[in-house]
Amino acid sequence: MTNENSESQSPPGFIGHLVELRNRLVHAILSILIIFIALVYFANDIYGFVAAPLISSLPEGTSMIATDVTSPFFAPFKLTLFVSLFLAFPFILHQIWGFIAPGLYKNEKRMLIPVLISSILLFYSGIAFCYFIVLPIILGFFTGVGPDMMTLSPDISSYLGFVLKLFFAFGITFEIPVAIMLLCWSGATDTQSLKEKRPYIVVGAFVVAMFLTPPDILSQTLLAIPMLALFELGLILASFSNKKQEPTEQEN
């Protein structure tokens, strides 16, 4: 009788988790949609802001072009959708947290809340670093190395794909300190082991940068160097956190 009751009660619990997951996914999608509706009127202005580093690097008398009839409409539209996704990132993480938090212990919740906040700030910092520092360097270099007889007129769609790829790459890359801290806290590795593997990580950083950035050595280097710096920062934070937790564990 007891086994039958427990078996009959398990499906509703499982279904309840699925329903909650569905509701949180719907809320996350709605947040993106609401932000998109609020921003779509300013789609052209948003694209102008993102294209500003390229426009300032172009020679006088040149401008961007659209090689497809639909590009002047769909390029700003697509960019606005991605901007809505980036802006909704904190609310999406909040929905993820709301789904997993009931299954965590109190000490795990105290540990993960700063991690979530840090991941949001680091993600936006990566995009800001890419826009204000990396893009002017890359675009200034590539627009200045061509032959004089060439007229540079970048396509708005190809530039959008180039920029979004870089934004995504730098946003994810800036999460490295959080990833290292989580790996060390979970026991999957430790700071000493990561320090011993530093030469392999240096090579791996350039390999990852090769896949995440456009096929040029400048973009790869500008991504690999921050990756290595963030790796070192993650080691420092993980070491500091472990030293801080050791006295607490001894007291317990």
Side-chain angles (χ1 to χ4, degrees), residues 92-192:
I92 294 173
L93 284 181
H94 175 72
Q95 293 300 314
I96 296 174
W97 171 256
F99 182 74
I100 66 174
L104 300 176
Y105 295 106
K106 289 184 177 180
N107 61 331
E108 293 174 334
K109 291 181 180 179
R110 287 195 299 268
M111 178 185 70
L112 287 179
I113 289 177
V115 169
L116 287 174
I117 297 174
S118 300
S119 64
I120 295 172
L121 296 177
L122 287 171
F123 182 77
Y124 288 144
S125 299
I127 295 176
F129 178 81
C130 179
Y131 179 82
F132 290 105
I133 297 178
V134 175
L135 276 181
I137 295 175
I138 294 176
L139 297 175
F141 173 78
F142 285 115
T143 56
V145 297
D148 295 335
M149 75 285 295
M150 181 189 69
T151 301
L152 181 62
S153 298
D155 177 64
I156 60 174
S157 296
S158 61
Y159 175 74
L160 177 60
F162 174 81
V163 168
L164 289 179
K165 188 174 183 180
L166 284 178
F167 282 169
F168 179 78
F170 278 88
I172 296 299
T173 296
F174 270 59
E175 302 290 342
I176 288 177
V178 174
I180 291 177
M181 294 183 69
L182 289 176
L183 288 173
C184 293
W185 286 346
S186 65
T189 186
D190 55 69
T191 55
Q192 185 60 35

Side-chain angles (χ1 to χ4, degrees), residues 26-48:
V26 170
H27 291 159
I29 294 173
L30 283 177
S31 67
I32 300 173
L33 182 61
I34 292 172
I35 296 175
F36 175 76
I37 293 173
L39 294 179
V40 70
Y41 178 78
F42 307 98
N44 291 333
D45 296 327
I46 295 172
Y47 191 93

